[in-house]
Amino acid sequence: MGTGDIFGMPTAHIMASAMGGIRTAGDLVAWMQMSRRMKINEAKAYVAEKLGIDVIDLTNEEVMRQVREDLDIGIITSVAGSAKGIAAKWKIAELLDIQINSVNLFKEKLRL
Amino acid sequence: MGKRIFTRMGDGERIAMSPGKIKDDLLAGTNDAADRAGIPVLTPDDLELLFEIFAEPAKIVGVAPGEEVIVSDDAVATLFYLDQENCGQGLPLSRVQSILTYERACCADTLSTGHVDYTFKQVKPIVNFEKQDYYNTSLMTTAPFFYGSQPNMGIYFRPDGPFPNPADLFPAGKIKEALDAQEDAAAQLTRDMVYVSKQMYDVGCEGINFDTAASAGDADFFATLQAVSELKKKTQHMAIEVGMSSEFVMGMHGDITFDGQLLAGMYPHQQVKVVEAAGADIFGPAINVSVGESTPWNLARSVTFVKECVAVANIPVHPNVGMGVCGVPMFEVPPIDAVTRTSKALVLIGKADGL
């Protein structure tokens, strides 16, 4: 995206056509585009298989809210003690079988 | 008076058009893109679907469940605290607060940050500050997190930079000196882009966004491609997104090639192939908007360019959809009816992998 006020440009695009980020599975599909150069349908199919759900449910809040909580990969609402940030990304890297640079650095600091 | 459909001019002005006039503008827009780039026009089915998108009476339109795509951005996540010249809202938030709000309130698929003077040359002397901020924020973000900046080769020329200015040399008839100045500036730009990006990689950067590439023409684009190529050898686990500044690479130099291809004069379906060859992971074409034409004309034209670009691409394509590009009116408060129609059309007809 580019520029424009936050409501009229990015939020409008997100509502019209985007996957929904950590509210659903948008971040997971984005990781596959970034790490494996996957086109959108290939990336969705890969993530759906890893999650064990249908592709159509990747943006189904009612399904993804529970999937994310069960896998502890970060949920949109705030629950103390649940994984967010680097802890969630660590689990996402393992789930999707990808390398995430920030996670690799964090592991290195922990000497793991 | 027959049926009228509300839409927008390229500058955002609301207008009412007849269905016939909208169809005329859709056809003219796709023909203009096809003529310029030597690519196919939209099919009759595409044009019918595009007309239906404009004819929908609702203010906001969108894709069906299952057809959604990814959004990536160039520091949009920091808009909450930025000022009007960045279309920002000026809230008393820090940069990290702005980014986390974008992740958890706006629910973007990816996030990004960048220096307020969004340019590699300006970032270089304060890169340690940027590294601190990126590192701290990346510990808290869950969605993929980009660092973005622009090549902006123009500021490498006098009086802003160290190299003689081709805009002075060309009129003086100093052609070779003007070409040499661009080549020297491009080499320095590549070094700066690689330096900053590598510094960010070392603190865990997940993705770098070379935004608004080729704004100073073919040498600027070359510097960006060279930087991508060099970085891919050193930063294996950092995605690189290349977003363009316009639909056409200006031949300010005119004789620069990459991967055997002349860069000057390239359109999006050609740009994506050299970006791919350089090793980038995501490509963002930018299609110009004419403020004197209607949104149907501009959007048909943009979708024509994007559809061909996506068709030939082997990497994900995220068309730039901020104000003034790819069909979005050139207005700092983009009208939502036009923005969402742009969004839907680029995904359904252009087959974009993201926006």
Side-chain angles (χ1 to χ4, degrees):
Chain A
M1 295 189 285
T3 192
D5 76 287
I6 200 95
F7 184 72
M9 201 281 290
T11 309
H13 284 299
I14 289 167
M15 296 301 289
S17 329
M19 293 198 67
I22 65 170
R23 193 165 181 265
T24 54
D27 59 324
L28 309 180
V29 174
W31 282 119
M32 299 319 300
Q33 290 199 339
M34 293 169 65
S35 62
R36 303 264 180 93
R37 302 170 116 196
M38 287 182 177
K39 305 279 277 183
I40 186 70
N41 291 335
E42 184 186 5
K44 284 181 179 178
Y46 183 93
V47 173
E49 185 184 349
K50 290 288 186 186
L51 296 177
I53 63 173
D54 294 332
V55 169
I56 189 76
D57 283 332
L58 290 173
T59 52
N60 182 349
E61 295 90 338
E62 189 269 333
V63 169
M64 281 308 303
R65 171 63 179 77
Q66 192 62 47
V67 167
R68 294 194 77 107
E69 182 171 343
D70 291 347
L71 295 171
D72 201 20
I73 55 173
I75 54 176
I76 190 65
T77 47
S78 183
V79 176
S82 65
K84 268 198 170 65
I86 200 75
K89 283 189 282 197
W90 187 327
K91 291 168 182 277
I92 289 169
E94 290 177 347
L95 171 72
L96 299 179
D97 190 24
I98 58 173
Q99 300 282 328
I100 296 178
N101 193 31
S102 59
V103 173
N104 291 348
L105 179 67
F106 190 67
K107 285 181 177 176
E108 189 184 309
K109 296 299 171 194
L110 296 177
R111 296 185 180 173
L112 291 175
Chain B
M1 191 165 143
K3 183 183 176 187
R4 311 289 281 180
I5 295 169
F6 283 116
T7 183
R8 302 278 176 172
M9 289 295 289
D11 64 357
E13 178 192 358
R14 194 198 296 278
I15 55 172
M17 297 175 73
S18 68
K21 178 60 177 150
I22 285 186
K23 289 180 179 177
D24 288 347
D25 275 15
L26 295 177
L27 195 58
T30 189
N31 283 336
D32 186 78
D35 287 347
R36 287 173 187 270
I39 57 176
V41 294
L42 296 177
T43 66
D45 285 349
D46 291 338
L47 289 168
E48 185 56 34
L49 178 53
L50 196 46
F51 173 76
E52 287 173 10
I53 291 171
F54 278 105
E56 285 186 54
K59 174 180 175 180
I60 297 170
V61 303
V63 302
E67 294 172 335
E68 301 95 335
V69 298
I70 296 303
V71 286
S72 59
D73 68 89
D74 41 3
V76 163
T78 62
L79 282 180
F80 287 103
Y81 84 99
L82 293 174
D83 64 333
Q84 181 266 345
E85 72 177 35
N86 293 292
C87 296
Q89 276 61 66
L91 295 175
L93 299 175
S94 68
R95 188 155 53 162
V96 61
Q97 288 170 327
S98 182
I99 292 162
L100 292 176
T101 302
Y102 189 59
E103 179 186 61
R104 298 173 195 183
C106 297
C107 302
D109 301 308
T110 69
L111 318 167
S112 73
T113 187
H115 182 241
V116 67
D117 195 346
Y118 203 63
T119 301
F120 280 100
K121 180 168 174 279
Q122 314 298 68
V123 172
K124 190 178 177 184
I126 51 100
V127 71
N128 285 330
F129 175 80
E130 293 297 274
K131 287 164 65 178
Q132 290 287 340
D133 212 58
Y134 182 95
Y135 178 69
N136 288 337
T137 307
S138 73
L139 296 175
M140 288 179 270
T141 52
T142 302
F145 184 33
F146 283 86
Y147 186 83
S149 197
Q150 296 181 354
N152 269 349
M153 198 181 79
I155 64 165
Y156 284 79
F157 300 123
R158 296 171 192 158
D160 300 310
F163 300 101
N165 197 323
D168 297 327
L169 297 169
F170 277 127
K174 297 180 178 178
I175 307 301
K176 184 174 185 312
E177 290 85 343
L179 301 182
D180 288 347
Q182 292 183 67
E183 291 168 19
D184 293 344
Q188 183 61 54
L189 172 56
T190 297
R191 285 194 291 274
D192 290 351
M193 293 173 80
V194 170
Y195 174 78
V196 169
S197 302
K198 180 65 169 57
Q199 291 284 313
M200 300 307 295
Y201 182 77
D202 291 344
V203 294
C205 187
E206 298 159 0
I208 198 94
N209 184 357
F210 292 163
D211 175 52
T212 317
S215 62
D218 48 351
D220 182 313
F221 193 28
F222 177 78
T224 302
L225 296 169
Q226 283 289 106
V228 172
S229 183
E230 288 186 32
L231 280 167
K232 274 297 168 184
K233 297 170 194 157
K234 302 174 181 174
T235 60
Q236 193 185 351
H237 302 306
M238 179 175 72
I240 302 179
E241 178 166 2
V242 174
M244 299 299 289
S245 54
S246 74
E247 67 197 31
F248 178 79
V249 178
M250 294 183 294
M252 302 301 288
H253 184 288
D255 198 26
I256 293 183
T257 62
F258 185 89
D259 195 37
Q261 304 295 312
L262 188 68
L263 299 181
M266 278 189 167
Y267 280 99
H269 67 291
Q270 299 158 321
Q271 296 161 11
V272 71
K273 299 313 290 183
V274 288
V275 167
E276 248 178 48
D281 302 285
I282 299 173
F283 176 63
I287 314 303
N288 306 355
V289 159
S290 171
V291 296
E293 298 285 355
S294 69
T295 295
W297 186 91
N298 279 304
L299 188 50
R301 191 172 175 280
S302 297
V303 171
T304 306
F305 280 120
V306 168
K307 185 181 177 186
E308 182 64 11
C309 178
V310 173
V312 303
N314 294 312
I315 58 174
V317 175
H318 292 193
N320 288 283
V321 284
M323 66 164 178
V325 280
C326 283
V328 176
M330 185 65 191
F331 189 57
E332 69 175 10
V333 186
I336 291 172
D337 49 277
V339 171
T340 57
R341 280 164 176 77
T342 299
S343 214
K344 184 172 182 176
L346 288 169
V347 173
L348 291 192
I349 307 169
K351 306 296 182 191
D353 301 286
L355 296 170

